[in-house]
Amino acid sequence: MNELIQILPKAELHMHIEGSLEPELMFKLAKRNGIKLPDASVDELRAKYNFNNLQEFLDIYYQGCAVLQTEQDFYDLAWAYLENAKQDNVVHTEIFYDPQSHTDRGIPFETTINGLHRAFTDAQQQLGISFHIIACFLRHLPEQDAIDIYPEIYKHKDKIYGIGLDSSELGHPPEKYKRVFAQAKKDGFKVVAHAGEEGPADYVKQAIELLDVDRIDHGNHCLDDDILTAHIAKQGLALTVCPLSNLKLRVVKDLKDHPIKTMLKKGLMATINSDDPAYFGGYINENFMHLNDAVGLTENEIFTLVENSFKASFLPDDIKKIHLQALHSVW
Ligand code: ADE
Ligand code: ZN
């Protein structure tokens, strides 16, 4: 089965580029930028990657961002992810990044987007991986902060394809962002939101009804509401599911309890993704492999999950068709 997972070309739709910052690269960038990290070594830092919930992870994740200072740092971060993606046979990726976690540290918006965009453009030519960049608002910050940074995002519409919503979910319902999301939709951005990771089914409902999302990130808790689940399935609205993240952030107690099979049985367009691979112990193929080890996926289920990754992508229909044909021929 692992060989099958490896050889299938796939798209990744839920990956935070800051969450692909491996400790080794973090230390290298810290040295390059003269920054002293709180931990003395890679091992000491990795030993902290044991989380009881989303917030404990986010505290460490934002701390790690401090080493990202220059355009080249953002380029190197993206390039390291892309090399892993290439190994996993990812041919298209739609990545998240958190502009506010950099601009709030005094890093100019241009530095972040130019470094990332240059790396992804080079990868398209050199590694054959196409991409879309999705800029996320940090939902733990005031709505006004999102409204204030939106013009910067809009200025870079040639490089940014979509708008997302991430960070601490509980206490920050999608409703808080309905104004800025309405503007982004009007301006032609695709919009997505993390919902139902730690938050309740009602947050998933709000993301659909109030933000008019084109995809739901995570979405696990929609399963608590049968009517909502049936609605999402009927609409063909995709969920970007992240198994190792769900395990490490204790959304599931054990990977054996992961609801992926239930999601597929209920007709949900689920996809498999890595979320923050440097922190959760695996890139996309490892997510497939660990999930398969835990719940025993059938070959058809693996195929459906990979097929869904292209169907749920923001690629134009003609390009989707080419990827789906290539997938079928490998299959
Ligand atoms: N930012 C990075 N990873 C995240 C996650 N799993 N949930 C919410 N915000 C995030
Ligand atoms: Zn995420």
Side-chain angles (χ1 to χ4, degrees), residues 1-2 5-6 88 242-248 252 254-258 260-261 272-274 277 280-297 302 305:
M1 215 56 127
N2 286 357
I5 291 165
Q6 176 59 41
D88 280 357
C242 306
L244 287 177
S245 165
N246 291 162
L247 177 67
K248 297 286 167 154
V252 293
D254 191 295
L255 218 42
K256 286 191 173 65
D257 306 328
H258 199 280
I260 193 70
K261 278 180 179 270
I272 298 296
N273 307 273
S274 67
F280 301 150
Y283 288 78
I284 190 167
N285 283 0
E286 281 157 307
N287 273 271
F288 270 103
M289 289 173 192
H290 284 287
L291 185 63
N292 178 46
D293 287 345
V295 303
L297 296 168
I302 290 175
L305 289 164

Side-chain angles (χ1 to χ4, degrees), residues 39 45-64 140 167-170 197-198 245 247-251 276 279-280:
D39 301 293
L45 175 58
R46 262 216 182 87
K48 284 190 178 161
Y49 292 1
N50 210 331
F51 314 108
N52 289 305
N53 52 45
L54 174 60
Q55 193 58 51
E56 283 189 13
F57 155 68
L58 290 171
D59 292 343
I60 289 189
Y61 162 90
Y62 293 128
Q63 189 180 299
H140 66 275
S167 194
S168 324
E169 188 180 7
L170 288 170
E197 180 185 18
E198 277 191 344
S245 165
L247 177 67
K248 297 286 167 154
L249 301 184
R250 310 205 183 199
V251 172
D276 300 284
Y279 292 90
F280 301 150

